[in-house]
């Protein structure tokens, strides 16, 4: 069995733009070396937004060297990027954006949803790319809730939506550059579960809401359980009804140089990212986005 290495807590939050009140549950400066290929995770909400005609969110900004995975639980998020791709995702949907060689994008609340207002809750995961793929072409995967298979856990303990990777023969629709599992898991209070996670892979249980016990160690709202690479499964019990993300991946274990929206392997590559951005090599946002 995998055991608990550490528990990370995030007592304070911050705003990303004016649409996303988030807590960074782990980050690339402190945690990426032991959680490779995962770099960062922001958990947004839950929060109630009042109706508005204003556009709430984050305007045009760049990324290079990694992928962003946006999972919406409540509300809507609109995405548009410099490749011309984008769309609106609602509850249960996922946007998997590959920044790779460089991309500009924007993220806002869905326009129609914003006019009505309501509960908003989402998570955004940053996934690293191997050095050989950091200059690949940018890409975008829009994944609807209907495309994501759900696996019933043993003994009625709960369920897992398989966004990436595989569980009990069900494979998630997301394509990734390195092997990984990204599961959206809900556990019933008082129930125990054993989840298979590959030997030698990194692992984390990200508790969004609820409370769990792993090997005698408890974790609750907005805490991350860092698991050992040794072991081929994790055993846990939900002390309350719990919503969490289960992340496990084959480590890349390459040097990380990161600054703001860029994650590369060397400081020289970070400097080059700024040069390329200023030179316009990240493309240009579609004209409609500027209106």
């Amino acid at each position: 069995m995998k055991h608990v290495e550490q528990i990370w807590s995030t007592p304070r939050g911050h705003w990303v733009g004016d649409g996303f009140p988030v807590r960074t549950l782990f980050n690339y400066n402190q945690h990426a070396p032991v959680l490779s290929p995962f770099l960062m995770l922001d958990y947004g909400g839950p929060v109630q937004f009042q109706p508005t005609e204003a556009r709430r969110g984050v305007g045009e900004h760049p990324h290079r060297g990694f992928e962003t995975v946006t999972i919406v639980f409540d509300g809507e998020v609109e995405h548009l990027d410099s490749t011309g791709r984008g769309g609106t995702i609602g509850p249960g949907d996922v946007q998997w954006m590959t920044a790779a060689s460089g991309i500009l994008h924007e993220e806002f609340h869905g326009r129609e949803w914003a006019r009505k207002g309501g509960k908003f809750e989402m998570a955004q995961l940053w996934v690293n790319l191997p050095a050989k793929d950091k200059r690949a072409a940018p890409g975008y995967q829009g994944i609807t809730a209907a495309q994501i298979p759900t696996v019933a856990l043993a003994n009625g303990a709960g369920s897992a939506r398989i966004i990436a990777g595989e569980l009990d023969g069900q494979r998630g629709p997301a394509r990734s550059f390195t092997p990984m599992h990204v599961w959206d898991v809900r556990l019933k209070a008082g129930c125990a579960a054993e989840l298979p996670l590959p030997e030698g892979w990194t692992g984390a249980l990200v508790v969004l809401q609820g409370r769990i016990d792993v090997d005698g160690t408890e974790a609750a709202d907005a805490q991350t359980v860092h698991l050992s690479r040794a072991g081929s499964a994790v055993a846990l019990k939900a002390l309350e009804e719990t919503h969490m993300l289960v992340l496990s991946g084959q480590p890349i274990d390459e040097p990380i140089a990161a600054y703001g929206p860029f994650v590369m392997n060397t400081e020289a590559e970070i400097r080059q990212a700024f040069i390329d951005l200023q030179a316009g090599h990240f493309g240009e946002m579609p004209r409609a986005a500027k209106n």
Side-chain angles (χ1 to χ4, degrees):
M1 286 290 173
K2 292 184 183 292
H3 65 263
V4 176
E5 293 279 2
Q6 301 173 78
I7 302 285
W8 301 322
S9 299
T10 309
R12 296 183 180 180
H14 62 280
W15 282 81
V16 177
D18 63 357
F20 307 110
V22 304
R23 286 169 286 181
T24 300
L25 304 194
F26 60 84
N27 65 75
Y28 58 54
N29 289 319
Q30 295 175 280
H31 309 118
V34 297
L35 274 189
S36 176
F38 307 108
L39 294 167
M40 189 181 82
L41 188 138
D42 279 347
Y43 174 45
V47 65
Q48 193 77 19
F49 280 96
Q50 297 302 310
T52 183
E53 291 291 329
R55 295 200 76 194
R56 291 195 183 107
V58 186
E60 179 181 324
H61 60 283
H63 290 299
R64 172 178 277 183
F66 63 99
E67 303 184 282
T68 66
V69 181
T70 304
I71 308 167
V72 173
F73 306 116
D74 279 297
E76 283 185 355
V77 174
E78 286 183 2
H79 168 97
L80 184 65
D81 64 45
S82 52
T83 71
R85 299 182 179 96
T88 301
I89 59 171
D93 299 339
V94 175
Q95 290 172 337
W96 195 297
M97 184 191 77
T98 303
S101 60
I103 204 168
L104 304 175
H105 80 140
E106 62 177 32
E107 298 163 290
F108 289 95
H109 292 184
R111 296 171 196 261
E112 293 304 316
W113 181 86
R115 291 186 177 105
K116 299 175 184 176
K119 182 182 176 184
F120 188 87
E121 183 183 6
M122 54 79 72
Q124 186 173 91
L125 171 69
W126 289 17
V127 176
N128 202 9
L129 293 173
K132 66 181 181 64
D133 295 315
K134 284 186 178 291
R135 300 304 293 268
Y140 176 83
Q141 301 173 65
I143 302 169
T144 66
Q147 294 174 298
I148 300 173
T150 298
V151 172
L153 302 180
N155 302 314
S159 63
R161 296 195 318 135
I162 314 305
I163 296 168
E166 187 175 355
L167 178 64
D168 286 352
Q170 295 292 319
R171 178 165 290 278
R175 302 181 304 275
S176 59
F177 282 73
T178 56
M180 68 186 66
H181 296 319
V182 178
W183 302 339
D184 177 11
V185 175
R186 295 178 188 264
L187 297 175
K188 299 176 183 177
C191 290
E194 184 175 309
L195 302 173
L197 299 177
E199 174 76 33
W201 282 23
T202 56
L205 309 176
V206 183
V207 181
L208 304 179
Q209 296 183 69
R211 188 162 59 100
I212 61 172
D213 179 282
V214 186
D215 194 27
T217 301
E218 291 189 14
D221 297 0
Q223 289 189 310
T224 300
V225 181
H226 169 216
L227 300 172
S228 64
R229 295 188 182 184
S232 58
V234 61
L236 63 150
K237 182 176 182 179
L239 304 178
E240 302 172 2
E241 184 174 332
T242 296
H243 182 199
M244 66 181 186
L245 296 176
V246 177
L247 309 176
S248 185
Q250 185 179 83
I252 296 173
D253 286 346
E254 294 175 343
I256 293 174
Y259 187 90
F262 306 135
V263 182
M264 303 301 291
N265 298 105
T266 67
E267 294 298 329
E269 290 174 322
I270 295 293
R271 291 192 293 272
Q272 188 62 49
F274 280 101
I275 293 170
D276 291 346
L277 175 65
Q278 293 299 319
H281 296 327
F282 283 38
E284 185 175 346
M285 292 293 290
R287 187 177 301 275
K290 300 179 181 181
N291 295 336

